[in-house]
Amino acid sequence: MKNVELYVPFSQRTGIEPIPPQLKLGEVSDELRRLIKYYFMLEFDRETISRSNGRFFSTGWRRLAMDFHVKFLKQDPSDFNNYADFFEDMTGAIIKNWDYHRLFDFVEFFLNHANCSKELKNDLSEAFSVARAAYRIVGSQIIAIGTDEQAAAFSRALVELEDDHRAARTHLIAAGAALRNSDWAGSIRESIHAVESMACRLAAGKDTLGPALAAIEKRGHLHGGLKAAFSSLYGYTSDEEGVRHSLVFNNEAQVDEADALFMLGACASFVSYLTARGA
């Protein structure tokens, strides 16, 4: 088997980048940084007063900016100034240059400050969602929505499938693309199709997942518990209208981003399992 840590799949080498951003833990995209900066600029416009000698923060934001200077940056209170342009330049540099963990500390400081407007808090929450970040704002905290395990399973499956199982690999890449584009049902559908494609390839003559898994189990290459688990997941995607098959009229599948992330990781792991078993 190839060394997963050293090997870079073709789609990443050529810039197609199949890994969905929701699984890129420890990273902050340029889009997310741009949106965070934009929403802070809107807040500064709301909370500043223009005078002949410059822009200054209003009373509430003056206290917020001073708290940031003293409590977050650990600077001497005597060095604080209330010039909004200075503060905007400083926060812009922070948003552009800081590592993700320090940047998130920065964002959380404002989320937890009483003088930060609801508009900014709502805008920041939207920024994480729109940028499809691997993190989301819940309450006043930033939490991961994906896991290292899901990311590793997805990356490993792409490597293992590259040479001999292109159809399953294509479905996994499509699942990641759908996740990137907020098509939760489409992502789940492509994830389960990756498993189905792999199982049917290994069980000649079978064209759907259920019979293929039964054939693999019969040969002693699949534990009954795993077969039952994925048969149930396959049944779930069939029962949830609009997931495994096209939507009917105006109905929408009742699935969300968390469902799609789980299915991507679970199906990628199962595809790798089938590959390793050599069923």
Side-chain angles (χ1 to χ4, degrees):
M1 184 181 296
K2 300 180 181 69
N3 187 320
V4 176
E5 293 183 355
L6 298 179
Y7 178 75
V8 179
F10 169 83
S11 48
Q12 292 187 50
R13 297 196 306 268
T14 55
I16 297 174
E17 191 60 67
I19 307 297
Q22 292 95 328
L23 293 179
K24 292 183 178 180
L25 295 170
E27 295 186 22
V28 181
S29 68
D30 291 340
E31 181 181 12
L32 180 56
R33 291 183 189 272
R34 182 172 60 252
L35 289 173
I36 291 173
K37 180 178 180 180
Y38 172 61
Y39 289 133
F40 267 94
M41 290 175 63
L42 293 181
E43 178 82 343
F44 298 152
D45 287 343
R46 289 190 294 265
E47 299 293 341
T48 55
I49 300 170
S50 295
R51 296 174 181 165
S52 59
N53 56 339
R55 289 193 305 154
F56 299 87
F57 287 118
S58 59
T59 302
W61 245 84
R62 183 181 187 279
R63 175 57 187 271
L64 197 166
M66 184 178 292
D67 284 350
F68 180 79
H69 175 83
V70 175
K71 297 180 179 180
F72 188 84
L73 296 180
K74 311 300 182 185
Q75 300 298 306
D76 191 302
S78 302
D79 295 333
F80 173 75
N81 74 67
N82 194 32
Y83 285 99
D85 289 339
F86 170 81
F87 194 84
E88 184 171 338
D89 289 343
M90 177 184 62
T91 55
I94 288 172
I95 294 166
K96 179 180 179 181
N97 298 314
W98 279 15
D99 291 339
Y100 86 97
H101 59 283
R102 297 178 67 211
L103 177 60
F104 289 176
D105 287 343
F106 164 85
V107 171
E108 284 190 346
F109 176 85
F110 292 93
L111 293 175
N112 284 280
H113 200 287
N115 290 9
C116 181
S117 73
K118 289 183 178 179
E119 287 88 347
L120 179 56
K121 293 178 181 179
N122 290 336
D123 284 345
L124 289 173
S125 180
E126 179 180 300
F128 279 75
S129 179
V130 169
R132 301 292 173 262
Y135 306 85
R136 293 291 191 276
I137 293 174
V138 178
S140 298
Q141 292 186 319
I142 298 172
I143 65 169
I145 60 168
T147 68
D148 287 327
E149 292 76 16
Q150 289 170 329
F154 184 71
S155 299
R156 183 173 60 250
L158 292 183
V159 172
E160 293 171 342
L161 296 172
E162 184 172 36
D163 292 333
D164 301 320
H165 307 287
R166 294 298 182 90
R169 189 175 190 274
T170 297
H171 283 301
L172 278 182
I173 292 176
L179 191 62
R180 181 191 303 272
N181 295 324
S182 304
D183 181 5
W184 317 134
S187 181
I188 292 174
R189 182 166 55 248
E190 293 295 342
S191 293
I192 202 70
H193 281 337
V195 174
E196 187 171 46
S197 176
M198 186 66 179
C200 290
R201 177 183 174 89
L202 298 174
K206 309 299 181 183
D207 57 5
T208 58
L209 182 59
L213 291 179
I216 295 171
E217 180 190 25
K218 188 175 181 180
R219 297 207 306 265
H221 291 171
L222 178 63
H223 189 279
L226 283 175
K227 178 209 165 189
F230 266 87
S231 293
S232 295
L233 283 177
Y234 188 71
Y236 154 71
T237 62
S238 298
D239 293 339
E240 184 58 55
E241 189 168 31
V243 173
R244 193 161 63 85
H245 302 291
S246 300
L247 289 171
V248 179
F249 301 111
N250 293 320
N251 293 329
E252 295 183 358
Q254 298 301 307
V255 294
D256 59 18
E257 189 173 29
D259 297 322
L261 278 166
F262 167 76
M263 287 294 290
L264 184 68
C267 290
S269 295
F270 193 58
V271 166
S272 288
Y273 169 80
L274 290 176
T275 305
R277 292 291 294 168

